[in-house]
Each structure stands twice: as structure tokens, then as C-alpha cells.
Amino acid sequence: MNTQPNALLPDQDQGVIAAGDGPTGDQVLACALREAIRHGDVGVVLWDDEVELTGPGDTVLVSIKGRRFVEPYELAGFLGIDADDIDDAR
């Protein structure tokens, strides 16, 4: 059994795997993005009315409009990353 992808999952997701189910595609993608954010490959920018995930050269990978976070720590908690990893551009 290959458990390597499970190493990317946070502790709260381990119960799902222990129950005999593998991680969903969304869980794997979310965990991979968290790791990319933590290692500086993907940036997170907080605007007044949107959140952007950016890649090299500030290329916008994803723009999520309409989601409002008052403070970076709220967005950080939502994403499961450190608040220091968020660029507050408001």
C-alpha cells in the first residue's frame, strides 16, 4: 500500500483514511496547495473582495471573488496555513 500521498494530509484527515477510505481528490489538492504555499511556490493575496493564489511572476492561478475575510488570520485559518504566508493587499 502506497501511503506517501497521505503524508500531505493534515492530522484531521487521517481519520478518514483510517476508516478505509482514501483521500478525495479535493483533499489531496488542498493539501498540495498548502504545502506549495508554505514553501513559497504559490502565494496568497488578500484583497477587499477576493482572494488570489499566484504562481511565479505573480501569475494569477485562481481568483476567488466574493469571499470576504476581515483579517489575514481568518483566511489563514480557513486555508490551514500561517498568517505570515498571506500578502495583505487591502
Side-chain angles (χ1 to χ4, degrees), residues 3-90:
T3 60
Q4 190 173 10
N6 298 344
L8 294 175
L9 295 175
D11 292 337
Q12 66 267 25
D13 292 332
Q14 295 300 322
V16 173
I17 295 164
D21 296 331
T24 66
D26 288 345
Q27 288 171 318
V28 171
L29 178 59
C31 291
L33 279 173
R34 283 186 202 110
E35 288 300 312
I37 292 165
R38 287 180 187 130
H39 290 46
D41 297 332
V42 172
V44 180
V45 183
L46 174 62
W47 298 93
D48 285 329
D49 61 347
E50 70 182 307
V51 174
E52 290 178 346
L53 297 179
T54 60
D58 291 329
T59 302
V60 176
L61 304 172
V62 177
S63 178
I64 306 166
K65 297 187 184 286
R67 180 79 186 187
R68 292 187 180 223
F69 296 90
V70 177
E71 296 295 331
Y73 74 87
E74 294 173 329
L75 176 57
F78 176 76
L79 294 173
I81 61 173
D82 291 329
D84 293 340
D85 292 330
I86 296 174
D87 178 15
D88 188 353
R90 296 172 296 148

